[in-house]
Amino acid sequence: MKPVQIKIYNNPESISICKHALKEYCHIIGFKSWEIHKLTVLFEDLLNQLIKCTFIDGQDGEIIIDYSNIEGGIEIKINDFGIPLDEETILSNDGDGENELRRIYNILNEVVDEVKIGAKGYKGNEVVLRKLLKPKRRHKVNSHEKEEVGLDSINAVSEVKLLDTHLAADISRLAYIAYHYSYPYEDIYIPERIREKMKKDMLISVGAVVDDIKKVVSHSALSFNKPGDKTAELGVAFTDPNYRGHGFINKIWTYLIEKIAREKELFGVYAMAVCTHPYSQKACHKMGMKDSALLVSRAPVIEFESIDISNAQRESIMIALKIMDKPPQVVYYPPKHHKKMILEIAGHLGLDVNVGKHPLLHLETQHNYANIEVKTDKVFSIAKIYIIHFGKNIQNELAVEFHKLKGQRFESIYLYLDLADYHTEKYTKHFESLGFFFAGLMHEHNRMNLVLQYLNNQNYNFSLLKIDSDFGKKLMKYVEVECKKVSEFNN
């Protein structure tokens, strides 16, 4: 029998249509009447609870139900684009809505042969039920019954606090309430991935908890590219629209910077502030972060509520860095033509820099092979190239990776060069001859990098950028001039 798909709106009146369709589909496949009756009653209850739990009051949304005749039975898929669901939270949460959904979930486990439930990122939620005509019965024990952890465990006296893994679903829910599915990092809508990053200390979440409702209403976090990083990105910030304007993000950022970052003895924290408006830059500067790099065309066009943006173009990002643990002195090898600006940025960050003069600067490297690491982000349409160490084949190796990324139509490509490596001074002009131009300084891979950038067939209008600080404006002008030099050279 061929599959059947039904689309309904998130209102109870539509459920009976799906229920009757399921009844007929099961009858044709060959299920007994009592099996069909039990399954359709549970199916109706499940849809009702999904509508209650995953959609905000007054929100219109679609639910897609697929019936498929699998070998030996039926598969039912339910997809919605409501608040992200999390199987672990459903099993462990004693809240009113989740408690009822958990009851249905447990009964389904006794009636059908397989139940899967969870968030699929931008694809929304998915519930999968499979029932066989001749099921192999098995008893299941809910291992979470004696380990229930509810929202009551939150210390309501503390307005801002560190969030534990059991609140991963609450973070996804809050992101959905704040942005629906428009937030650029898909993982934030998948509680399982949030929980995994928390366990690995790659995401340290802090939230603002309102005393009377005992719920997380504002969130931000320190994010790490990999375990062991000494610099974290300050971001993943969103607030329930009903609780905006109370300064929660400022309080959370202060907690993350002054408590968490200092306790972990981080080298620094940085934030990516948009340049369509100056507000996020102002927030960074208020936290003591300093402008250090302008990443041109870093993200797709971003629409902001209540902000009129004409002539929209891809979003540029100002990197704002706060160094927490300043070294007594650092030795850098800046290329001579960028030396003045690099030293100005370093001084702006509070670094004491000694310009190194390496005796092997004009000699060929001792390494035969270069080590290059490439990271791509299809959502943002960007690529990053990290030169881990230089080798005699660096020019050929980088050219191969660079042309591959250009051919894959990544809009912007960023090249990270270790300032403590004398090869950075030696090869920067060669990289710029390929079309790269100056972006600034960023601390990644536990090193300070000179960042170069490449725009893939883009004519970028710098006059549309809104820069908050005087130093940021100076940096932007420098980047714009370097961009024009590359453009004129290539033309």
Side-chain angles (χ1 to χ4, degrees), residues 26-217:
C26 289
H27 177 73
I28 294 170
I29 290 174
F31 283 97
K32 295 179 180 178
S33 296
W34 64 269
E35 289 180 306
I36 296 173
H37 175 73
K38 186 178 286 189
L39 181 59
T40 53
V41 169
L42 279 172
F43 175 75
E44 183 178 23
D45 284 348
L46 175 62
L47 280 181
N48 269 308
Q49 288 306 314
L50 289 175
I51 290 173
K52 290 179 182 178
C53 293
T54 65
F55 290 97
I56 301 168
D57 290 343
Q59 177 188 358
D60 291 328
E62 278 190 343
I63 299 176
I64 303 171
I65 299 100
D66 290 280
Y67 306 127
S68 300
N69 183 193
I70 60 173
E71 183 178 356
I74 185 173
E75 178 183 82
I76 306 166
K77 282 187 180 179
I78 305 170
N79 288 93
D80 69 68
F81 293 89
I83 295 168
L85 288 171
D86 178 44
E87 188 172 46
E88 183 171 318
T89 302
I90 291 169
L91 292 173
S92 64
N93 200 305
D94 61 358
D96 293 338
E98 287 81 2
N99 188 48
E100 183 61 23
L101 193 55
R102 182 182 62 180
R103 180 189 66 80
I104 297 170
Y105 179 94
N106 287 334
I107 296 174
L108 278 167
N109 266 302
E110 294 301 320
V111 173
V112 302
D113 294 273
E114 187 175 353
V115 181
K116 291 182 179 179
I117 186 168
K120 298 294 181 181
Y122 294 141
K123 295 179 181 179
N125 296 311
E126 181 180 80
V127 178
V128 179
L129 310 176
R130 293 190 181 95
K131 183 171 178 59
L132 304 179
L133 286 165
K134 296 180 179 179
K136 296 179 181 179
R137 303 308 301 158
R138 60 202 182 282
H139 296 286
K140 295 188 178 183
V141 179
N142 184 357
S143 60
H144 298 272
E145 286 294 332
K146 296 182 181 180
E147 301 175 356
E148 292 189 357
V149 181
L151 290 176
D152 291 337
S153 63
I154 299 176
N155 179 7
V157 177
S158 178
E159 185 183 44
V160 173
K161 64 167 297 180
L162 192 65
L163 302 182
D164 201 354
T165 55
H166 74 276
L167 290 175
D170 292 67
I171 296 170
S172 289
R173 174 188 175 88
L174 181 60
Y176 178 84
I177 291 172
Y179 290 106
H180 291 273
Y181 280 112
S182 65
Y183 197 76
Y185 294 103
E186 185 179 18
D187 283 2
I188 205 65
Y189 298 108
I190 306 176
E192 183 179 350
R193 293 187 188 173
I194 296 175
R195 195 177 296 114
E196 182 181 347
K197 288 184 177 182
M198 284 179 158
K199 289 178 180 178
K200 292 180 179 179
D201 277 340
M202 293 178 64
L203 186 76
I204 302 175
S205 289
V206 168
V209 181
V210 173
D211 190 22
D212 56 346
I213 62 172
K214 294 183 175 62
K215 284 187 177 180
V216 181
V217 298

Side-chain angles (χ1 to χ4, degrees), residues 202 223-232 264 266-267 375 443-446:
M202 293 178 64
S223 302
F224 299 85
N225 287 328
K226 61 181 182 298
D229 277 354
K230 299 302 290 183
T231 300
K264 289 191 167 292
L266 297 183
F267 172 82
K375 292 184 178 180
H443 194 268
E444 285 193 30
H445 277 276
N446 291 333

Side-chain angles (χ1 to χ4, degrees), residues 359-366 422-423 426-427:
L360 301 179
L361 182 60
H362 300 292
L363 299 178
E364 195 172 16
T365 177
Q366 297 176 357
Y422 72 92
H423 292 94
K426 183 176 180 178
Y427 285 101

